[in-house]
Amino acid sequence: MAITGDGAAPVDSPSRLPEHDALTLLRSGEMELEGRLVDASNTTLRAFVSLDGVTARCVYKPISGERPLWDFPDGTLAGREVSAYLVSAATGWDLVPPTLLRADGPLGPGMCQLWIDEPEGAQPLVGFVPARQLPTGWKRIASAQDEDGNPYSLAHADDPRLARLAVLDVVINNADRKGGHVLAGPDDRVYGVDHGVTFNVESKLRTVLWGWTGAVLPDEAIDVLGRLSSDLRSSLGAALREHLTGAEVARFRGRVRRLLENACFPEPGTDWPSVPWPPM
């Protein structure tokens, strides 16, 4: 991703733009639509946003373009995206790019998120690989075949950054962690994007990051979950209630508590498909 300012050197990594400045840019910058991401199920637009000589790309998802879903209240997906960012920020892992609900977008209120460009040549962390050529250290999730019947595996790297994302998905009850929603960003960062179907009161976890099933949580995850539990009684809980119902916040608190008590990655459920379709 490139962010440039008049008379300044290009800022080629979103991590070099302080979080507060990124949020100010997203909230108050002049937005110019660039195009639509046609593969997205809801209206998803890429735009330039500019303020005080700084220009960045962002993703803009107007609430008016949200497709109705049978299991999520209409017009709530943007707020769920913002909530996922708030939780990510509270963990200190910063797995979700700066995100907010912008009131005055070109097509009305909507989610606005800093765009992440994957560096040229970045190696994917999740994907389909020939079954007999599983990269060293990768974790196999499911078996598949190509159109010629050749065996493949859906797999992901055994990477602590992905393990953090797996923990985040559990507590926000992410129903759609596809491999394409995992980005290898600049500065050796990993980002998760597209969190519109999260925080449901019913268990709906669907993810490609099942490689640590049953494994003991890392110590850092235990520390983070403890901090989340504490923050939910104060600032984080209040911030989430601006976008989620009281019942959704309560269920989120319960997932944090159970994961902390069990201290291990959960098993896939049986009442709901455990891997999204398509997975990539």
Side-chain angles (χ1 to χ4, degrees):
M1 177 176 180
I3 303 175
T4 60
D6 292 342
V11 179
D12 57 9
S13 168
S15 65
R16 298 181 191 174
L17 189 65
E19 180 184 28
H20 178 270
D21 293 350
L23 292 172
T24 299
L25 180 64
L26 294 172
R27 180 181 297 107
S28 304
E30 181 179 355
M31 190 182 296
E32 178 185 352
L33 298 181
E34 181 183 14
R36 180 174 180 175
L37 280 65
V38 295
D39 292 335
S41 56
N42 297 293
T43 300
T44 302
L45 305 164
R46 192 166 78 169
F48 293 105
V49 60
S50 302
L51 183 69
D52 296 334
V54 176
T55 298
R57 275 194 170 104
C58 67
V59 175
Y60 166 53
K61 298 182 180 181
I63 294 175
S64 61
E66 292 182 5
R67 178 172 57 87
L69 299 173
W70 68 269
D71 52 350
F72 285 83
D74 293 350
T76 67
L77 305 190
R80 296 173 194 279
E81 296 245 27
V82 175
S83 297
Y85 164 71
L86 293 173
V87 174
S88 167
T91 66
W93 288 335
D94 297 327
L95 296 166
V96 180
T99 308
L100 52 73
L101 190 63
R102 178 159 172 154
D104 61 346
L107 299 179
M111 185 279 290
C112 195
Q113 182 178 84
L114 197 65
W115 176 271
I116 302 298
D117 271 321
E118 294 188 280
E120 186 175 351
Q123 296 299 309
L125 298 169
V126 184
F128 285 103
V129 296
R132 298 182 182 86
Q133 300 175 28
L134 190 71
T136 301
W138 276 46
K139 294 181 175 292
R140 194 187 313 270
I141 305 304
S143 298
Q145 291 183 340
D146 67 10
E147 57 187 11
D148 296 321
N150 297 311
Y152 275 75
S153 294
L154 174 65
H156 65 71
D158 185 5
D159 189 309
R161 299 170 300 174
L162 291 186
R164 291 174 173 179
L165 195 57
V167 170
L168 178 70
D169 283 345
V170 173
V171 295
I172 68 174
N173 196 17
N174 191 352
D176 195 33
R177 173 64 72 205
K178 293 182 171 72
H181 300 164
V182 178
L183 305 180
D187 297 338
D188 204 33
R189 299 280 298 277
V190 168
Y191 292 94
V193 297
D194 208 346
H195 298 108
V197 286
T198 52
F199 295 99
N200 201 295
V201 293
E202 298 180 4
S203 179
K204 292 184 178 291
L205 180 61
R206 293 196 305 177
T207 175
V208 295
L209 301 178
W210 284 113
W212 297 278
T213 296
V216 174
L217 290 175
D219 289 343
E220 67 163 354
I222 298 296
D223 292 341
V224 162
L225 290 168
R227 190 162 64 248
L228 282 181
S229 183
S230 176
D231 289 349
L232 274 167
R233 294 191 292 269
S234 55
S235 57
L236 178 59
L240 291 176
R241 282 189 289 273
E242 294 183 15
H243 305 287
L244 304 172
T245 67
E248 288 167 341
V249 175
R251 292 298 178 90
F252 168 63
R253 183 183 298 112
R255 289 190 296 272
V256 171
R257 183 181 65 252
R258 286 193 300 275
L259 191 57
L260 187 58
E261 290 173 348
N262 295 333
C264 63
F265 288 91
E267 304 277 345
T270 57
D271 297 331
W272 183 259
S274 61
V275 176
W277 185 261
M280 295 297 296

